């Protein structure tokens, strides 16, 4: 299970070139433009649960495993690690031997930390807390009562949500799930705010 989770990330890290991915804020802007021009239509939250985005290519468990390995590799990535390396040998129905040096550890980190946005979803939530400095907060999804982190690409969108903080009214909004290393937790995963309904 461990080898199956990290092997694709290692293979991708070995091929890693120059990153040309758009920033999350740029992706939010593109999604807003596509919605306004009827190029894409947001789906209701239940549709996200029943038919996940094609961008979600691996299980949330795989992402969690790679994150744990990445925390160990932080030691190898540090500037004082010198020629240190980390070797991981797994045994099961087959055995695997993974060796991480500083360069591979850095590329592995880039691969599994890549974040992108899924297709827009209609959420109904209570705004629980907001942080104006970091432009983020926490919401409670009224469909499943789960708490998610919510992020805002600019001050304007943050202040739209701020009107819902501390009141009984629920915020009905369009948001995009944050997909990291091809995985997303549909129950309580991070969301980028796109706009009100």
């Amino acid at each position: 299970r461990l080898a199956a989770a990290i092997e694709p990330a290692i293979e991708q890290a070995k091929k890693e070139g120059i990153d040309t991915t758009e920033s999350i804020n740029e992706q939010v802007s593109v999604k807003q433009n596509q919605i306004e021009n009827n190029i894409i239509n947001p789906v209701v939250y239940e549709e996200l649960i029943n038919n996940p985005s094609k961008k979600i290519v691996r299980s949330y468990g795989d992402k969690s495993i790679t994150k744990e390995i990445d925390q160990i590799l932080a030691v190898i990535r540090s500037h004082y690690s010198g020629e240190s390396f980390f070797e991981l040998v797994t045994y099961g129905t087959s055995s695997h031997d993974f060796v991480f040096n500083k360069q591979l550890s850095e590329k592995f980190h880039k691969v599994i930390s890549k974040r992108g946005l899924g297709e827009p979803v209609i959420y109904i939530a209570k705004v629980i807390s907001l942080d104006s400095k970091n432009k983020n907060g926490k919401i409670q999804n009224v469909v499943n009562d789960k708490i998610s982190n919510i992020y805002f690409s600019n001050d304007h969108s943050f202040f739209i949500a701020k009107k819902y903080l501390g009141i009984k009214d629920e915020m009905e909004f369009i948001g995009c799930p944050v997909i990291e290393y091809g995985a997303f937790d549909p129950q309580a995963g991070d969301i980028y705010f796109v706009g009100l309904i």
Side-chain angles (χ1 to χ4, degrees):
R1 177 74 181 90
L2 178 66
I6 66 171
E7 195 163 32
I10 292 168
E11 291 308 312
Q12 196 175 336
K14 287 177 180 175
K15 299 174 193 166
E16 187 71 4
I18 297 167
D19 188 7
T20 57
T21 310
E22 294 174 305
S23 75
I24 291 283
N25 287 351
E26 289 171 330
Q27 291 177 53
V28 170
S29 182
V30 167
K31 297 290 184 192
Q32 286 169 332
N33 190 31
Q34 289 175 327
I35 292 166
E36 287 168 13
N37 292 297
N38 294 316
I39 296 168
I40 56 174
N41 294 310
V43 299
V44 295
Y45 174 71
E46 290 82 352
E47 183 72 18
L48 170 70
I49 300 296
N50 297 329
N51 296 304
S53 167
K54 291 183 175 102
K55 292 181 181 179
I56 300 172
V57 295
R58 61 183 48 85
S59 77
Y60 193 70
D62 283 2
K63 181 191 141 191
S64 298
I65 290 169
T66 58
K67 284 285 189 188
E68 293 293 329
I69 298 299
D70 189 49
Q71 286 181 9
I72 295 168
L73 295 177
V75 177
I76 305 301
R77 286 192 301 272
S78 66
H79 67 278
Y80 56 81
S81 67
E83 298 297 316
S84 298
F85 65 92
F86 176 74
E87 184 174 12
L88 174 66
V89 182
T90 63
Y91 299 98
T93 51
S94 62
S95 63
H96 297 269
D97 189 357
F98 304 107
V99 179
F100 296 88
N101 60 15
K102 184 174 182 172
Q103 184 183 18
L104 184 58
S105 299
E106 288 169 348
K107 288 183 174 183
F108 182 84
H109 177 74
K110 283 182 186 172
V111 165
I112 68 156
S113 300
K114 244 181 221 165
R115 294 167 48 129
L117 297 183
E119 296 309 314
V121 176
I122 297 170
Y123 293 95
I124 303 171
K126 299 284 277 178
V127 178
I128 297 172
S129 67
L130 291 171
D131 177 348
S132 60
K133 183 181 177 186
N134 296 307
K135 289 195 210 55
N136 62 26
K138 293 197 179 295
I139 56 169
Q140 183 174 15
N141 188 324
V142 299
V143 175
N144 64 11
D145 287 332
K146 301 284 187 186
I147 308 290
S148 291
N149 294 320
I150 186 166
Y151 297 90
F152 303 91
S153 58
N154 55 47
D155 289 330
H156 175 70
S157 60
F158 178 84
F159 286 113
I160 289 172
K162 192 173 180 182
K163 297 173 190 171
Y164 290 88
L165 181 62
I167 65 171
K168 289 183 180 178
D169 291 348
E170 294 154 348
M171 182 172 70
E172 193 170 349
F173 71 99
I174 298 169
C176 289
V178 177
I179 299 171
E180 191 172 10
Y181 183 49
F184 170 70
D185 174 7
Q187 298 297 326
D190 294 351
I191 302 163
Y192 251 87
F193 180 90
V194 174
L196 290 180
I197 295 293

